[in-house]
Amino acid sequence: MREGTGEERYQPKATTAPPFPLAPITVIVGHYGVGKTNFSINLALDAVAQGWEVTLVDLDVVNPYFRSSDYRELLEEAGVRVVSPVFAGTTLDSPSLSGAVYTAIEDAIRQGTGERKRVIVDAGGDDVGATALGRFAPRIAERDHAVWYVVNRYRNLTQTPEEAAALLAEIEAKAGLRATAIVNNSHLKQDTEEETVIESLGFARAVSAALGLPIVCTAVPKEIVDQKNDSFSESCATQNVYPVQVYVRTPWGT
């Protein structure tokens, strides 16, 4: 597996226990480019390391970049099952893909006592992605599930609480599922620093208040968390810091 257009292999992350529980089915939604895929990959790797039987479903069947299925080797080597299109141009009209998604959802719903199955759905960040999710929404909605709305203060079209709320309303209408919580994943790609995260905390609280939804966590690049800056830790304490490895990078290196 190569990083961006480079030749180096991805290094498996040092797993971190997430500061939140996982529902049998967790759907990750949000605007294109906010970091849903990187968050989903980290979540899947950490969950499987904790002993869960994890399936990561990639529902982004249109966007050629930032897809969780592009990291299949990394995920499968760690024990994560990946359900995704297997060739360019595949859509959810493919019976094999659609059937595999339904099977993963049903397995999570019907698991027996003692089974430890979790499904993470990485939904596309546009109307097509949300609509694709809508095909499976009725069944998901019947059982224990979570829908986490990922926000990034620094991403175009979601830079104010009002913009973030309006975008979520569009996603919910297309997907047929209501968000249950938000994830603060505010970053500036490789330029992310402590201040980048700290300056996003108020934004996340404002979005939480506007939507009436709790904050699951604030995702922070692991190298920043590892600095163990006391003031940083204190600032972020109320938002459940979740250290994430940065796997997903743009092919053009920005």
Tab-separated table of all heavy atoms in Angstrom, residues 18 20 22-28 36-37 39-48 52-59 68 75 80-83 101 104-105 108 117-123 146 148 242:
chain	number	residue	atom	x	y	z
A	18	PRO	N	-10.734	3.831	21.580
A	18	PRO	CA	-11.540	5.041	21.410
A	18	PRO	C	-12.265	5.396	22.709
A	18	PRO	O	-12.696	4.507	23.446
A	18	PRO	CB	-12.554	4.634	20.322
A	18	PRO	CG	-11.907	3.488	19.606
A	18	PRO	CD	-11.141	2.750	20.663
A	20	PHE	N	-15.117	6.125	23.423
A	20	PHE	CA	-16.568	6.059	23.210
A	20	PHE	C	-16.927	4.631	22.809
A	20	PHE	O	-16.106	3.903	22.254
A	20	PHE	CB	-16.993	7.025	22.095
A	20	PHE	CG	-16.056	7.038	20.909
A	20	PHE	CD1	-16.077	6.016	19.967
A	20	PHE	CD2	-15.133	8.049	20.745
A	20	PHE	CE1	-15.208	6.017	18.889
A	20	PHE	CE2	-14.249	8.063	19.666
A	20	PHE	CZ	-14.299	7.039	18.745
A	22	LEU	N	-18.961	1.663	20.599
A	22	LEU	CA	-19.402	1.491	19.226
A	22	LEU	C	-20.731	0.751	19.188
A	22	LEU	O	-20.877	-0.301	19.811
A	22	LEU	CB	-18.382	0.696	18.422
A	22	LEU	CG	-17.238	1.434	17.732
A	22	LEU	CD1	-16.379	0.423	16.967
A	22	LEU	CD2	-17.763	2.509	16.801
A	23	ALA	N	-21.694	1.277	18.447
A	23	ALA	CA	-22.954	0.572	18.217
A	23	ALA	C	-22.688	-0.578	17.245
A	23	ALA	O	-21.666	-0.597	16.555
A	23	ALA	CB	-23.988	1.529	17.646
A	24	PRO	N	-23.606	-1.552	17.153
A	24	PRO	CA	-23.406	-2.620	16.172
A	24	PRO	C	-23.200	-2.096	14.758
A	24	PRO	O	-22.427	-2.654	13.982
A	24	PRO	CB	-24.703	-3.430	16.283
A	24	PRO	CG	-25.136	-3.236	17.711
A	24	PRO	CD	-24.769	-1.805	18.020
A	25	ILE	N	-23.898	-1.001	14.417
A	25	ILE	CA	-23.719	-0.367	13.108
A	25	ILE	C	-23.447	1.113	13.338
A	25	ILE	O	-24.256	1.812	13.951
A	25	ILE	CB	-24.959	-0.531	12.215
A	25	ILE	CG1	-25.286	-2.010	12.004
A	25	ILE	CG2	-24.747	0.166	10.862
A	25	ILE	CD1	-26.605	-2.253	11.298
A	26	THR	N	-22.310	1.593	12.855
A	26	THR	CA	-21.956	3.007	12.986
A	26	THR	C	-21.753	3.586	11.595
A	26	THR	O	-20.894	3.123	10.840
A	26	THR	CB	-20.680	3.189	13.821
A	26	THR	OG1	-20.881	2.646	15.129
A	26	THR	CG2	-20.325	4.665	13.947
A	27	VAL	N	-22.551	4.584	11.262
A	27	VAL	CA	-22.489	5.223	9.948
A	27	VAL	C	-21.763	6.557	10.077
A	27	VAL	O	-22.094	7.373	10.941
A	27	VAL	CB	-23.908	5.450	9.387
A	27	VAL	CG1	-23.836	6.093	8.000
A	27	VAL	CG2	-24.683	4.136	9.323
A	28	ILE	N	-20.774	6.777	9.219
A	28	ILE	CA	-19.985	8.002	9.240
A	28	ILE	C	-20.390	8.853	8.037
A	28	ILE	O	-20.225	8.437	6.886
A	28	ILE	CB	-18.470	7.706	9.178
A	28	ILE	CG1	-18.081	6.643	10.228
A	28	ILE	CG2	-17.678	8.984	9.347
A	28	ILE	CD1	-18.353	7.049	11.654
A	36	LYS	N	-13.790	11.934	6.712
A	36	LYS	CA	-14.585	10.758	7.109
A	36	LYS	C	-13.822	9.459	6.923
A	36	LYS	O	-13.854	8.574	7.783
A	36	LYS	CB	-15.874	10.678	6.280
A	36	LYS	CG	-16.834	11.809	6.445
A	36	LYS	CD	-18.105	11.576	5.649
A	36	LYS	CE	-17.865	11.264	4.199
A	36	LYS	NZ	-17.161	12.339	3.471
A	37	THR	N	-13.148	9.343	5.784
A	37	THR	CA	-12.477	8.081	5.477
A	37	THR	C	-11.329	7.811	6.428
A	37	THR	O	-11.168	6.694	6.933
A	37	THR	CB	-11.994	8.079	4.020
A	37	THR	OG1	-13.133	8.055	3.151
A	37	THR	CG2	-11.123	6.861	3.737
A	39	PHE	N	-10.985	8.906	9.434
A	39	PHE	CA	-11.590	8.598	10.727
A	39	PHE	C	-12.125	7.166	10.734
A	39	PHE	O	-11.909	6.417	11.693
A	39	PHE	CB	-12.719	9.585	11.020
A	39	PHE	CG	-13.399	9.354	12.340
A	39	PHE	CD1	-12.830	9.810	13.523
A	39	PHE	CD2	-14.605	8.675	12.403
A	39	PHE	CE1	-13.458	9.593	14.750
A	39	PHE	CE2	-15.237	8.449	13.616
A	39	PHE	CZ	-14.661	8.906	14.792
A	40	SER	N	-12.791	6.766	9.664
A	40	SER	CA	-13.356	5.420	9.581
A	40	SER	C	-12.279	4.345	9.632
A	40	SER	O	-12.447	3.306	10.284
A	40	SER	CB	-14.177	5.273	8.285
A	40	SER	OG	-15.258	6.161	8.251
A	41	ILE	N	-11.164	4.593	8.944
A	41	ILE	CA	-10.061	3.634	8.938
A	41	ILE	C	-9.502	3.459	10.351
A	41	ILE	O	-9.282	2.338	10.818
A	41	ILE	CB	-8.963	4.082	7.964
A	41	ILE	CG1	-9.450	3.955	6.518
A	41	ILE	CG2	-7.689	3.266	8.163
A	41	ILE	CD1	-8.510	4.575	5.493
A	42	ASN	N	-9.261	4.562	11.034
A	42	ASN	CA	-8.759	4.492	12.406
A	42	ASN	C	-9.738	3.757	13.311
A	42	ASN	O	-9.342	2.925	14.134
A	42	ASN	CB	-8.507	5.903	12.949
A	42	ASN	CG	-7.162	6.468	12.532
A	42	ASN	OD1	-6.174	6.328	13.242
A	42	ASN	ND2	-7.116	7.089	11.366
A	43	LEU	N	-11.001	4.063	13.161
A	43	LEU	CA	-12.033	3.430	13.981
A	43	LEU	C	-12.045	1.924	13.758
A	43	LEU	O	-12.112	1.137	14.713
A	43	LEU	CB	-13.392	4.030	13.623
A	43	LEU	CG	-14.524	3.887	14.631
A	43	LEU	CD1	-14.152	4.496	15.967
A	43	LEU	CD2	-15.793	4.526	14.071
A	44	ALA	N	-11.960	1.502	12.502
A	44	ALA	CA	-11.967	0.079	12.187
A	44	ALA	C	-10.736	-0.627	12.743
A	44	ALA	O	-10.832	-1.718	13.329
A	44	ALA	CB	-12.048	-0.112	10.671
A	45	LEU	N	-9.573	-0.020	12.580
A	45	LEU	CA	-8.336	-0.633	13.069
A	45	LEU	C	-8.334	-0.759	14.590
A	45	LEU	O	-7.910	-1.778	15.145
A	45	LEU	CB	-7.130	0.187	12.609
A	45	LEU	CG	-6.839	0.167	11.104
A	45	LEU	CD1	-5.725	1.159	10.770
A	45	LEU	CD2	-6.465	-1.238	10.636
A	46	ASP	N	-8.815	0.275	15.270
A	46	ASP	CA	-8.834	0.228	16.730
A	46	ASP	C	-9.861	-0.768	17.244
A	46	ASP	O	-9.625	-1.472	18.226
A	46	ASP	CB	-9.122	1.620	17.299
A	46	ASP	CG	-7.923	2.547	17.160
A	46	ASP	OD1	-6.805	2.030	17.021
A	46	ASP	OD2	-8.104	3.773	17.193
A	47	ALA	N	-11.004	-0.846	16.573
A	47	ALA	CA	-12.044	-1.772	17.015
A	47	ALA	C	-11.606	-3.230	16.849
A	47	ALA	O	-11.825	-4.062	17.729
A	47	ALA	CB	-13.336	-1.521	16.240
A	48	VAL	N	-10.967	-3.546	15.717
A	48	VAL	CA	-10.539	-4.925	15.502
A	48	VAL	C	-9.426	-5.285	16.481
A	48	VAL	O	-9.332	-6.439	16.939
A	48	VAL	CB	-10.103	-5.145	14.032
A	48	VAL	CG1	-8.701	-4.631	13.759
A	48	VAL	CG2	-10.202	-6.615	13.645
A	52	TRP	N	-13.076	-6.890	18.322
A	52	TRP	CA	-14.318	-6.889	17.565
A	52	TRP	C	-14.102	-7.508	16.188
A	52	TRP	O	-13.013	-7.408	15.614
A	52	TRP	CB	-14.847	-5.468	17.398
A	52	TRP	CG	-15.237	-4.810	18.685
A	52	TRP	CD1	-14.512	-3.898	19.394
A	52	TRP	CD2	-16.432	-5.031	19.430
A	52	TRP	NE1	-15.172	-3.520	20.531
A	52	TRP	CE2	-16.368	-4.210	20.584
A	52	TRP	CE3	-17.546	-5.836	19.252
A	52	TRP	CZ2	-17.376	-4.177	21.534
A	52	TRP	CZ3	-18.564	-5.802	20.199
A	52	TRP	CH2	-18.470	-4.978	21.321
A	53	GLU	N	-15.119	-8.124	15.648
A	53	GLU	CA	-15.114	-8.610	14.270
A	53	GLU	C	-15.680	-7.475	13.419
A	53	GLU	O	-16.880	-7.220	13.433
A	53	GLU	CB	-15.970	-9.866	14.142
A	53	GLU	CG	-15.965	-10.495	12.772
A	53	GLU	CD	-16.818	-11.743	12.702
A	53	GLU	OE1	-16.985	-12.403	13.750
A	53	GLU	OE2	-17.338	-12.043	11.605
A	54	VAL	N	-14.809	-6.786	12.689
A	54	VAL	CA	-15.179	-5.515	12.065
A	54	VAL	C	-15.300	-5.639	10.549
A	54	VAL	O	-14.431	-6.199	9.882
A	54	VAL	CB	-14.132	-4.425	12.399
A	54	VAL	CG1	-14.518	-3.099	11.740
A	54	VAL	CG2	-14.006	-4.256	13.901
A	55	THR	N	-16.392	-5.076	10.026
A	55	THR	CA	-16.564	-4.914	8.586
A	55	THR	C	-16.650	-3.432	8.278
A	55	THR	O	-17.463	-2.715	8.876
A	55	THR	CB	-17.845	-5.609	8.086
A	55	THR	OG1	-17.763	-7.010	8.351
A	55	THR	CG2	-18.023	-5.392	6.588
A	56	LEU	N	-15.811	-2.954	7.376
A	56	LEU	CA	-15.856	-1.567	6.935
A	56	LEU	C	-16.506	-1.533	5.553
A	56	LEU	O	-16.009	-2.127	4.604
A	56	LEU	CB	-14.452	-0.966	6.873
A	56	LEU	CG	-14.348	0.483	6.398
A	56	LEU	CD1	-15.174	1.412	7.278
A	56	LEU	CD2	-12.892	0.938	6.369
A	57	VAL	N	-17.634	-0.841	5.467
A	57	VAL	CA	-18.382	-0.746	4.216
A	57	VAL	C	-18.087	0.593	3.559
A	57	VAL	O	-18.339	1.653	4.143
A	57	VAL	CB	-19.902	-0.887	4.467
A	57	VAL	CG1	-20.676	-0.692	3.162
A	57	VAL	CG2	-20.217	-2.248	5.074
A	58	ASP	N	-17.559	0.557	2.340
A	58	ASP	CA	-17.250	1.767	1.582
A	58	ASP	C	-18.410	2.037	0.626
A	58	ASP	O	-18.594	1.326	-0.353
A	58	ASP	CB	-15.947	1.550	0.805
A	58	ASP	CG	-15.592	2.731	-0.084
A	58	ASP	OD1	-16.285	3.763	-0.006
A	58	ASP	OD2	-14.622	2.609	-0.852
A	59	LEU	N	-19.193	3.076	0.934
A	59	LEU	CA	-20.324	3.414	0.066
A	59	LEU	C	-20.021	4.585	-0.857
A	59	LEU	O	-20.932	5.125	-1.483
A	59	LEU	CB	-21.560	3.746	0.917
A	59	LEU	CG	-22.281	2.561	1.551
A	59	LEU	CD1	-23.588	3.015	2.173
A	59	LEU	CD2	-22.543	1.458	0.532
A	68	SER	N	-12.133	4.523	1.467
A	68	SER	CA	-11.587	3.561	2.415
A	68	SER	C	-11.123	2.286	1.725
A	68	SER	O	-10.188	1.630	2.177
A	68	SER	CB	-12.623	3.236	3.500
A	68	SER	OG	-13.834	2.816	2.924
A	75	LEU	N	-6.064	-2.548	5.865
A	75	LEU	CA	-7.181	-2.962	6.709
A	75	LEU	C	-7.269	-4.476	6.829
A	75	LEU	O	-7.428	-5.020	7.928
A	75	LEU	CB	-8.490	-2.390	6.145
A	75	LEU	CG	-8.631	-0.873	6.272
A	75	LEU	CD1	-9.663	-0.346	5.271
A	75	LEU	CD2	-9.033	-0.492	7.689
A	80	VAL	N	-9.546	-6.457	9.336
A	80	VAL	CA	-10.803	-5.790	9.011
A	80	VAL	C	-11.306	-6.294	7.660
A	80	VAL	O	-10.556	-6.321	6.681
A	80	VAL	CB	-10.622	-4.259	8.945
A	80	VAL	CG1	-11.932	-3.573	8.548
A	80	VAL	CG2	-10.121	-3.717	10.271
A	81	ARG	N	-12.560	-6.692	7.611
A	81	ARG	CA	-13.176	-7.064	6.335
A	81	ARG	C	-13.635	-5.794	5.638
A	81	ARG	O	-14.254	-4.923	6.250
A	81	ARG	CB	-14.371	-7.984	6.566
A	81	ARG	CG	-15.083	-8.401	5.280
A	81	ARG	CD	-16.359	-9.161	5.566
A	81	ARG	NE	-17.074	-9.477	4.353
A	81	ARG	CZ	-18.397	-9.490	4.252
A	81	ARG	NH1	-19.146	-9.199	5.315
A	81	ARG	NH2	-18.994	-9.787	3.115
A	82	VAL	N	-13.339	-5.667	4.342
A	82	VAL	CA	-13.710	-4.476	3.581
A	82	VAL	C	-14.735	-4.862	2.521
A	82	VAL	O	-14.511	-5.774	1.724
A	82	VAL	CB	-12.484	-3.830	2.907
A	82	VAL	CG1	-12.901	-2.595	2.098
A	82	VAL	CG2	-11.435	-3.463	3.948
A	83	VAL	N	-15.869	-4.169	2.514
A	83	VAL	CA	-16.898	-4.362	1.502
A	83	VAL	C	-16.948	-3.099	0.669
A	83	VAL	O	-17.220	-2.013	1.185
A	83	VAL	CB	-18.278	-4.630	2.133
A	83	VAL	CG1	-19.358	-4.681	1.054
A	83	VAL	CG2	-18.262	-5.925	2.922
A	101	VAL	N	-23.290	-5.704	1.219
A	101	VAL	CA	-23.621	-4.690	2.219
A	101	VAL	C	-24.775	-5.169	3.079
A	101	VAL	O	-24.737	-5.078	4.317
A	101	VAL	CB	-23.965	-3.344	1.548
A	101	VAL	CG1	-24.421	-2.333	2.613
A	101	VAL	CG2	-22.767	-2.807	0.787
A	104	ALA	N	-23.599	-7.834	5.553
A	104	ALA	CA	-22.841	-7.288	6.674
A	104	ALA	C	-23.773	-6.650	7.696
A	104	ALA	O	-23.612	-6.837	8.911
A	104	ALA	CB	-21.832	-6.259	6.168
A	105	ILE	N	-24.760	-5.916	7.218
A	105	ILE	CA	-25.717	-5.257	8.120
A	105	ILE	C	-26.535	-6.290	8.885
A	105	ILE	O	-26.723	-6.193	10.104
A	105	ILE	CB	-26.630	-4.307	7.328
A	105	ILE	CG1	-25.814	-3.109	6.824
A	105	ILE	CG2	-27.810	-3.842	8.173
A	105	ILE	CD1	-26.558	-2.224	5.843
A	108	ALA	N	-24.594	-8.058	11.632
A	108	ALA	CA	-24.434	-7.230	12.832
A	108	ALA	C	-25.728	-7.160	13.626
A	108	ALA	O	-25.726	-7.192	14.864
A	108	ALA	CB	-23.983	-5.819	12.445
A	117	LYS	N	-19.589	-8.431	16.685
A	117	LYS	CA	-19.553	-7.914	15.319
A	117	LYS	C	-19.895	-6.435	15.287
A	117	LYS	O	-20.844	-5.993	15.939
A	117	LYS	CB	-20.532	-8.694	14.433
A	117	LYS	CG	-20.183	-10.163	14.285
A	117	LYS	CD	-21.177	-10.883	13.395
A	117	LYS	CE	-20.802	-12.358	13.243
A	117	LYS	NZ	-21.781	-13.099	12.396
A	118	ARG	N	-19.130	-5.688	14.524
A	118	ARG	CA	-19.373	-4.268	14.350
A	118	ARG	C	-19.205	-3.914	12.873
A	118	ARG	O	-18.284	-4.378	12.214
A	118	ARG	CB	-18.403	-3.433	15.198
A	118	ARG	CG	-18.652	-3.537	16.702
A	118	ARG	CD	-19.990	-2.910	17.072
A	118	ARG	NE	-20.285	-2.910	18.487
A	118	ARG	CZ	-21.018	-3.836	19.111
A	118	ARG	NH1	-21.485	-4.880	18.412
A	118	ARG	NH2	-21.274	-3.738	20.401
A	119	VAL	N	-20.127	-3.095	12.384
A	119	VAL	CA	-20.072	-2.606	11.005
A	119	VAL	C	-19.880	-1.096	11.032
A	119	VAL	O	-20.594	-0.383	11.752
A	119	VAL	CB	-21.357	-2.953	10.235
A	119	VAL	CG1	-21.368	-2.266	8.869
A	119	VAL	CG2	-21.493	-4.462	10.069
A	120	ILE	N	-18.912	-0.617	10.276
A	120	ILE	CA	-18.662	0.812	10.130
A	120	ILE	C	-18.917	1.159	8.669
A	120	ILE	O	-18.335	0.547	7.770
A	120	ILE	CB	-17.220	1.170	10.519
A	120	ILE	CG1	-16.969	0.819	11.992
A	120	ILE	CG2	-16.934	2.651	10.256
A	120	ILE	CD1	-15.498	0.826	12.381
A	121	VAL	N	-19.808	2.117	8.429
A	121	VAL	CA	-20.165	2.509	7.071
A	121	VAL	C	-19.554	3.872	6.763
A	121	VAL	O	-19.883	4.866	7.413
A	121	VAL	CB	-21.690	2.567	6.881
A	121	VAL	CG1	-22.036	2.977	5.447
A	121	VAL	CG2	-22.331	1.219	7.213
A	122	ASP	N	-18.664	3.905	5.786
A	122	ASP	CA	-18.041	5.148	5.329
A	122	ASP	C	-18.850	5.646	4.140
A	122	ASP	O	-18.696	5.172	3.019
A	122	ASP	CB	-16.588	4.873	4.937
A	122	ASP	CG	-15.864	6.117	4.420
A	122	ASP	OD1	-16.409	7.221	4.578
A	122	ASP	OD2	-14.760	5.961	3.868
A	123	ALA	N	-19.772	6.596	4.390
A	123	ALA	CA	-20.671	7.063	3.340
A	123	ALA	C	-20.022	8.156	2.509
A	123	ALA	O	-19.175	8.901	2.987
A	123	ALA	CB	-21.967	7.580	3.956
A	146	ALA	N	-25.693	4.007	15.176
A	146	ALA	CA	-25.255	5.380	15.403
A	146	ALA	C	-24.944	6.007	14.053
A	146	ALA	O	-24.469	5.327	13.137
A	146	ALA	CB	-24.018	5.421	16.301
A	148	TRP	N	-22.789	9.258	12.886
A	148	TRP	CA	-21.890	10.306	13.356
A	148	TRP	C	-21.586	11.260	12.219
A	148	TRP	O	-21.103	10.855	11.154
A	148	TRP	CB	-20.598	9.701	13.898
A	148	TRP	CG	-20.823	8.924	15.172
A	148	TRP	CD1	-21.949	8.908	15.949
A	148	TRP	CD2	-19.895	8.044	15.808
A	148	TRP	NE1	-21.783	8.087	17.032
A	148	TRP	CE2	-20.532	7.544	16.966
A	148	TRP	CE3	-18.599	7.635	15.522
A	148	TRP	CZ2	-19.910	6.654	17.836
A	148	TRP	CZ3	-17.970	6.744	16.383
A	148	TRP	CH2	-18.619	6.266	17.528
A	242	TYR	N	-9.432	11.798	20.550
A	242	TYR	CA	-9.218	10.496	19.923
A	242	TYR	C	-8.016	10.607	18.987
A	242	TYR	O	-8.101	11.214	17.930
A	242	TYR	CB	-10.467	10.083	19.152
A	242	TYR	CG	-10.341	8.767	18.402
A	242	TYR	CD1	-9.638	7.690	18.935
A	242	TYR	CD2	-10.944	8.602	17.160
A	242	TYR	CE1	-9.531	6.495	18.257
A	242	TYR	CE2	-10.853	7.402	16.466
A	242	TYR	CZ	-10.148	6.359	17.016
A	242	TYR	OH	-10.041	5.164	16.337
